[in-house]
Amino acid sequence: MKNVICPGEVLIDFVALDVGKSLKETNKFMKKAGGAPANVSAAISKLGAKAYFCGTVGEDAFGEFLEDTLKKNNVNTDLMFKLKNNTTFAFVSLMEDGERDFEFSRDADECLTFDMIKDKLEKFDLYHFGSATAFLGGSLRDTYYKLKEYAKENNKLISFDANYRKSLFGNAKSEFIKCCKEFIQDSNIVKLSEEEAQLISGIDDIKEASQYIVGLGCENLIVTLGKRGSLLTNKEKQVLIPTKELKMKDATGAGDAFMGAVLAQVLNEPERDIEEVVKLSNIVGGITTTKIGALDSIPTWDEVFKYIEKINE
């Protein structure tokens, strides 16, 4: 079985129970496991590859809850470290259309150092960089760059997902864009939202923006377009891959589930055409939006194929 390392944050999502109310207005929350790298690692594990989450949490009840949740989803936690810091939180409110309002309270996630993991990297076939907080600073940022260089020097597959959060980078967009470009240029697979592609390229037209980003050096770029599907761009072609629209309850984790589905297929079925990979991943991401929460909402292949059978009846 192929091994994937997903470095970055795992955190507690406190999801507002009052749908349609902002964080300022609500006062009821539900605790959920979250964090983009953790979500992707769970999706990869549910969909047939072996994922290791790599990061730091607090030596507290929340850190224990996160470790238990990852193990429950068959994610390897050997590279998950508990520190004296507090576990990182994210507060999330859901609007009527399933979109989200975020606020972060950052602590333990920024403390991962390269020395913690440098002797444990040889077994990984793919390095996935998809942290929402890694470019903010702290030891995690330095570790991210050292991991990328290690993967590059050792001819490992590299994937990247920008995971832009306005609440985190609103005043540091230029630095965020610079970091993204440095990771894109070395990546085999890049996933971006439409907003991220426009932000990084400085181009409004999504097809032109995608061509610009591929020109930076990545092999395959996938831009997720919500209800419209995904736009695949590489040096040979550019194609829109539509998806079936589902009734969305919560968009949290949909992009991470999509990315996990892409990576699981690329590792386990490398001969599969990239368009077919994206087509199936669209469905995985869509199903994830029909439930509340991120990590727990990711489907298995059995659920995906049952859904396909149902819509084809």
Side-chain angles (χ1 to χ4, degrees):
M1 184 179 288
K2 300 290 187 179
N3 294 317
V4 184
I5 183 171
C6 300
E9 77 278 357
V10 62
L11 50 80
I12 300 293
D13 279 330
F14 284 109
V15 183
L17 295 178
D18 299 316
V19 176
K21 289 187 178 181
S22 68
L23 287 175
K24 179 180 178 180
E25 296 169 324
T26 191
N27 57 16
K28 297 177 182 178
F29 292 90
M30 173 173 51
K31 180 183 68 178
K32 290 284 187 178
N39 294 337
V40 172
S41 68
I44 291 168
S45 293
K46 284 187 175 183
L47 298 171
K50 185 62 179 177
Y52 287 64
F53 171 75
C54 175
T56 46
V57 296
E59 207 172 66
D60 52 30
F62 296 114
E64 291 180 7
F65 166 76
L66 292 171
E67 182 179 32
D68 290 346
T69 303
L70 288 173
K71 287 181 176 179
K72 178 183 174 182
N73 285 276
N74 296 317
V75 175
N76 189 295
T77 59
D78 289 350
L79 300 181
M80 180 177 179
F81 304 92
K82 294 179 181 177
L83 308 176
K84 295 297 184 182
N85 306 65
N86 294 318
T87 296
T88 296
F89 298 155
F91 295 88
V92 187
S93 66
L94 305 176
M95 298 297 102
E96 294 289 353
D97 61 0
E99 292 300 330
R100 301 154 292 163
D101 180 22
F102 279 102
E103 291 287 346
F104 281 85
S105 178
R106 192 180 190 212
D107 196 344
D109 75 277
E110 68 179 323
C111 299
L112 180 71
T113 68
F114 189 69
D115 285 343
M116 290 178 177
I117 56 176
K118 65 182 181 181
D119 297 326
K120 305 171 183 178
L121 300 175
E122 186 177 341
K123 61 186 170 186
F124 297 110
D125 304 284
L126 188 148
Y127 287 64
H128 173 64
F129 299 96
S131 171
T133 65
F135 297 152
L136 289 174
S139 301
L140 178 58
R141 174 170 169 151
D142 178 65
T143 301
Y144 242 55
Y145 274 89
K146 288 180 178 178
L147 278 170
K148 178 171 73 73
E149 289 309 307
Y150 177 92
K152 184 179 176 182
E153 291 169 4
N154 289 276
N155 297 312
K156 305 290 187 176
L157 289 173
I158 297 174
S159 59
F160 176 69
D161 184 356
N163 275 306
Y164 176 70
R165 298 287 183 266
K166 187 176 180 179
S167 60
L168 294 178
F169 293 98
N171 297 320
K173 284 184 180 180
S174 60
E175 182 65 17
F176 174 81
I177 292 168
K178 172 180 175 292
C179 293
C180 285
K181 288 181 176 180
E182 291 169 348
F183 273 74
I184 287 168
Q185 68 185 8
D186 293 328
S187 295
N188 302 94
I189 301 169
V190 173
K191 184 195 80 67
L192 303 173
S193 68
E194 186 171 12
E195 176 191 13
E196 290 164 348
Q198 292 166 334
L199 176 65
I200 292 167
S201 67
I203 301 170
D204 289 334
D205 183 271
I206 195 59
K207 291 184 177 180
E208 293 179 12
S210 297
Q211 290 168 341
Y212 168 85
I213 291 167
V214 167
L216 296 175
C218 69
E219 292 181 17
N220 286 291
L221 169 66
I222 307 164
V223 178
T224 53
L225 303 172
K227 297 175 182 178
R228 290 175 286 157
S230 301
L231 181 67
L232 170 68
T233 306
N234 54 38
K235 292 180 180 178
E236 288 74 42
K237 59 187 175 183
Q238 184 174 72
V239 56
L240 177 65
I241 302 171
T243 190
K244 181 77 172 178
E245 184 177 344
L246 296 172
K247 184 174 178 57
M248 183 167 66
K249 290 184 179 179
D250 180 9
T252 305
D256 301 327
F258 175 96
M259 192 67 186
V262 169
L263 299 182
Q265 291 177 82
V266 166
L267 286 173
N268 289 335
E269 301 180 73
E271 72 286 349
R272 177 172 286 179
D273 183 79
I274 188 65
E275 289 186 44
E276 290 301 312
V277 167
V278 174
K279 184 177 179 180
L280 269 180
S281 301
N282 278 342
I283 295 172
V284 172
I287 292 174
T288 302
T289 69
T290 64
K291 304 174 186 178
I292 300 294
L295 196 148
D296 292 335
S297 300
I298 300 165
T300 63
W301 282 130
D302 283 344
E303 292 175 82
V304 172
F305 293 132
K306 285 179 182 177
Y307 169 78
I308 293 172
E309 288 178 6
K310 182 177 179 180
I311 63 174
N312 288 334
E313 288 177 353

